[in-house]
Amino acid sequence: MMYSPSRNGAPPVPVFRERNRGTTVQNLPLSHLSVEVGHFYMEDLENGEEPILEQFRRVRPWLEAAKASVLSGTGKPRVSTCFLIDDYFQHWSDAPEIMMKLVRLSQEAGVVIDYFARESACARRRDGFDVADLLATTLLEEPEPDRDTGSRPPSTASGWLSNGRPSREYTVLNAMEAHAWDAPLEYGKRNHSIYVDVELWRDGADPGADKEVLLKQRQYSCPFLAAVWQLVRLGLLRADGAPALEVTDFDGEWKREWSQLPEVVRVNPRAMPFYAYQSLSIMPQNFLPIETAVRTIIDHFIVQPGVMESLDARAAEENIELSAAISERMSHHFLPGRK
Amino acid sequence: MARPDPPPSDHPPPLQPQVVLGAVTTGLLNTSAPLPLDAARQVLALVPGVKADWRRHPIDQVISPDLFFGLDCRLAVHSGAQPRIIGTARARALLTAGHALQGSARVDVVLDASRRRLSWSHYMARTGVVEAINKADPADIVAGFLAGRPGKSALDLGNTSAYVMSLLDEAPQIDRQAPLKAQTHRLLWAAHVNEDVEPGAQIEAGDDGVFRVRISTPPAQLPHFVEFCEILALHDWLLNALRNAYDRSNRKGRRGNDGELGPALSYLGHVWNPNAHLPRELQWLWDALEREAQLSWAWQAALTRVRDKVSLLTQKAIEETLHKEVL
């Protein structure tokens, strides 16, 4: 509307505006569901082929079930598959050999993997950007019941994160009972507590070292990196509005060193988008404790402003209702057996 | 201060807060020179991966993204049991003109939400909101909060707002050599939010130097009131800082305090501009406040006194120099 001098004393319409958003949240291409089709430790990938093939074969019917049951609202279902390579804790293996083996065996089992991602990229990108620190600095510890008045700084400096208070043993002086014990407490318990305490990382640097040195010498735990991985898949972890890990198309050649491989690489040109409203991870049951830890971590994650709104608005356009809680957007299927 | 509008969401929040409580602490950034806009934008990027919002007209202002604080405590009320609240408070830092620093904290209170503390993911899905467990009367919560004497286990947003300011102390761009003493000032506000009320406010200056703003508003207007309170807090602080610098320069036997008048002028003299970022919707409130409290008149008066004194001191200094030369 143009400004025109008012005749009747009504306030004029504004003619000047200045609003500089520091960060603009990107709208990502989104699938309805991102399915993680199995998981191996690096030592399993190096050894015989039969257990790998066997796991993919067991994944397949559950992948088909997921595709058949995906919530897609008014749109055609969009499901993408992905696989996370454990190159953080061991990375001396021959990358091209393992990658080609994985592609071949998964195809043999009838599981099409659309995207491969590296676990070490969940810690740090090839360009040196600290992805894990994005999560580490946005975790909010749970307030103590009837104690936290807003004066306590939000921090997880210890490298541990819990859902309550640990048990306590102490000695009482001058009392009938010299020894006392307090039970652990889950702050959000329903009736009984399940107290969980998760190691997020271990610091190698001396106390007081500057942040760069500290981060370089920090070893993140497996659940912590898996939490980064889940948040990336759900489009919730961002660096200045862009996804913390971006997708690169496969250029036809696997580099020798793991560290030279893209963070997330699309190997299937016809794949649906990597990022998704909801995620499903299909993996052997021995990863259950790790995934419990992952959910604990994600339950303490603060989403950057505008990110949730961007996803929710897109979902609403497709008539999909998303849970407000992030961990309710994630699901798991655990396969029986050892591997 | 006006932040860009959040992207529209088709999901209506399940429960609207009936009460919103806030505190604004204002002080001087501890630097020898005002922070240039670019440096300020770096320093106020308090959340990794998110840049600070900013504006240049008519005066530089940088606004940090929101930080969140876990809360499980009581609300101070006058009658009956203190309601227990669980959830998170939000707080942000604002830097105006490169050195007027504010911490602004607020919490949205949803009453009668649940009977017990739920799992933490529930509260993380609605950050900035606390849910009260026991029954409580909104008017009583507003009055109790504004009384501003939180006990040991009661909500203390003043501390939260001060904590956000303290985060800037660690920044390498801050040299911690401010040439001026300026006490921090606090403003408390509390809003009774109701779809059916006409927007209105009452402002009270307490004997403790704290401004208290009691607001009733429909939810859509609440962000304007938050900005209004931040603007009022800034200008109340400016006025006090200038008056205090003048008073200190007048104390006998304290040579050297005249040296503060120069920095007071160059730091504070140009910052007064309450209309700069005032939401148009609340122009009427500022105008009403000016009619009664005459803050702009008080500012002009204080500024004139300081300038006159600096002129007189300069004149005296010139005369002394001339006198020495004659001798």
Side-chain angles (χ1 to χ4, degrees), chain B residues 6-298:
Chain B
S9 167
D10 289 348
H11 287 280
L15 286 167
Q16 290 286 350
Q18 294 96 320
V19 178
V20 182
L21 308 172
V24 187
T25 306
T26 308
L28 188 70
L29 184 68
N30 200 355
T31 51
S32 51
L35 216 52
L37 188 62
D38 284 346
R41 286 171 59 194
Q42 289 168 17
V43 172
L44 273 93
L46 295 176
V47 176
V50 186
K51 291 183 174 160
D53 293 348
W54 54 282
R55 61 223 287 177
R56 203 185 278 281
H57 302 283
I59 193 158
D60 283 1
Q61 187 174 60
V62 183
I63 304 158
S64 82
D66 286 337
L67 295 169
F68 293 92
F69 295 75
L71 294 176
D72 184 334
C73 58
R74 302 280 163 171
L75 286 176
V77 284
H78 286 306
S79 57
Q82 295 188 329
R84 177 178 168 201
I85 50 166
I86 301 155
T88 51
R90 70 176 71 221
R92 60 186 182 179
L94 303 97
L95 188 69
T96 307
H99 55 66
L101 176 63
Q102 295 183 285
S104 177
R106 77 175 246 205
V107 65
D108 297 14
V109 185
V110 173
L111 301 174
D112 295 328
S114 64
R115 300 261 135 249
R116 63 176 182 95
R117 175 160 163 170
L118 304 172
S119 69
W120 190 234
S121 58
H122 172 84
Y123 304 103
M124 291 299 276
R126 34 188 77 63
T127 43
V129 174
V130 291
E131 297 183 353
I133 286 193
N134 339 43
K135 284 225 173 294
D137 170 29
D140 202 7
I141 293 175
V142 166
F145 179 76
L146 289 181
R149 290 176 193 87
K152 214 176 82 195
S153 61
L155 175 70
D156 191 352
L157 286 179
N159 256 333
T160 316
S161 61
Y163 172 77
V164 172
M165 293 170 74
S166 74
L167 287 175
L168 274 73
D169 290 345
E170 304 299 320
Q173 292 90 339
I174 310 292
D175 63 14
R176 301 197 206 189
Q177 294 183 351
L180 181 69
K181 278 188 218 156
Q183 289 166 335
T184 57
H185 251 245
R186 185 152 294 169
L187 176 146
L188 296 175
W189 60 268
H192 191 170
V193 183
N194 190 325
E195 200 60 71
D196 304 325
V197 297
E198 284 291 311
Q202 280 178 325
I203 300 154
E204 194 183 305
D207 54 4
D208 51 2
V210 175
F211 268 58
R212 291 179 169 81
V213 186
R214 186 190 303 263
I215 300 159
S216 56
T217 178
Q221 290 247 31
L222 182 69
H224 304 316
F225 279 100
V226 178
E227 290 168 40
F228 176 90
C229 289
E230 287 165 350
I231 292 168
L232 175 58
L234 173 66
H235 289 84
D236 172 44
W237 173 81
L238 277 173
L239 182 56
N240 277 289
L242 191 63
R243 280 178 170 167
N244 288 343
Y246 181 84
D247 289 347
R248 278 198 296 274
S249 76
N250 273 351
R251 278 182 207 148
K252 279 189 180 162
R254 297 265 308 265
R255 294 286 303 165
N257 282 334
D258 290 349
E260 229 182 292
L261 290 177
L265 274 183
S266 65
Y267 260 67
L268 311 173
H270 63 290
V271 184
W272 188 272
N273 188 356
N275 284 313
H277 302 135
L278 188 72
R280 287 161 32 82
E281 291 82 353
L282 290 186
Q283 185 70 51
W284 61 269
L285 181 57
W286 187 268
D287 292 345
L289 179 67
E290 278 288 6
R291 269 197 305 278
E292 294 170 34
Q294 303 209 1
L295 296 174
S296 290
W297 178 87

Side-chain angles (χ1 to χ4, degrees), chain A residues 32-303:
Chain A
H32 296 114
L33 183 68
S34 156
V35 187
E36 182 177 13
V37 288
H39 191 68
F40 298 94
Y41 288 117
M42 189 59 97
E43 63 209 39
D44 301 325
L45 292 177
E46 288 166 336
N47 296 330
E49 300 196 347
E50 193 49 41
I52 302 176
L53 188 63
E54 175 59 21
Q55 191 186 107
F56 282 133
R57 279 191 181 132
R58 286 191 293 147
V59 164
R60 188 181 166 186
W62 299 108
L63 171 61
E64 297 307 325
K67 283 180 179 166
S69 62
V70 63
L71 287 178
S72 62
T74 48
K76 234 180 104 199
R78 299 187 303 274
V79 177
S80 66
T81 60
C82 55
F83 188 93
L84 182 70
I85 307 213
D86 169 30
D87 70 329
Y88 183 70
F89 295 95
Q90 297 169 37
H91 52 267
W92 53 82
S93 316
D94 183 85
E97 191 192 311
I98 286 188
M99 291 311 299
M100 286 191 287
K101 183 156 90 176
L102 271 172
V103 172
R104 180 167 49 80
L105 292 175
S106 60
Q107 279 173 353
E108 220 177 298
V111 173
V112 178
I113 298 177
D114 297 328
Y115 301 89
F116 282 98
R118 291 188 299 113
E119 192 169 6
S120 57
C122 295
R124 180 177 282 226
R125 286 196 314 227
R126 284 179 297 173
D127 64 2
F129 182 83
D130 276 295
V131 180
D133 197 45
L134 276 182
L135 175 59
T137 46
T138 37
L139 291 175
L140 181 61
E141 283 189 47
E142 292 186 33
E144 272 186 68
D146 245 335
R147 287 285 294 276
D148 272 327
T149 60
S151 327
R152 193 167 75 137
S155 77
T156 45
S158 64
W160 285 83
L161 182 73
S162 78
N163 65 353
R165 194 178 61 208
S167 62
R168 248 181 0 143
E169 271 186 273
Y170 49 92
T171 312
V172 184
L173 294 173
N174 303 326
M176 292 295 283
E177 266 184 280
H179 199 72
W181 183 77
D182 282 347
L185 173 70
E186 176 193 358
Y187 291 153
K189 73 182 161 79
R190 181 167 280 273
N191 283 310
H192 298 86
S193 284
I194 302 171
Y195 173 69
V196 177
D197 209 340
V198 181
E199 184 172 21
L200 308 174
W201 61 76
R202 206 173 300 146
D203 276 327
D206 294 329
D210 70 289
K211 177 114 193 197
E212 207 175 316
V213 177
L214 189 79
L215 290 183
K216 275 206 169 136
Q217 299 192 25
R218 175 172 286 180
Q219 190 186 42
Y220 292 100
S221 69
C222 177
F224 192 80
L225 295 178
V228 171
W229 165 238
Q230 288 282 3
L231 291 170
V232 167
R233 285 164 68 198
L234 291 169
L236 290 168
L237 199 65
R238 307 288 183 109
D240 194 21
L245 294 183
E246 303 215 46
V247 177
T248 314
D249 280 327
F250 183 53
D251 61 3
E253 186 204 358
W254 296 109
K255 302 274 191 304
R256 280 217 78 70
E257 296 293 327
W258 288 112
S259 59
Q260 292 171 336
L261 261 55
E263 284 89 18
V264 181
V265 59
R266 176 164 62 183
V267 289
N268 174 11
R270 289 185 304 277
M272 288 293 161
F274 169 71
Y275 312 102
Y277 296 129
Q278 306 205 61
S279 73
L280 164 66
S281 293
I282 305 172
M283 51 180 57
Q285 53 72 36
N286 53 323
F287 288 104
L288 196 150
I290 291 184
E291 295 302 316
T292 301
V294 169
R295 299 181 81 93
T296 304
I297 294 168
I298 285 177
D299 282 343
H300 294 78
F301 167 69
I302 298 170
V303 189

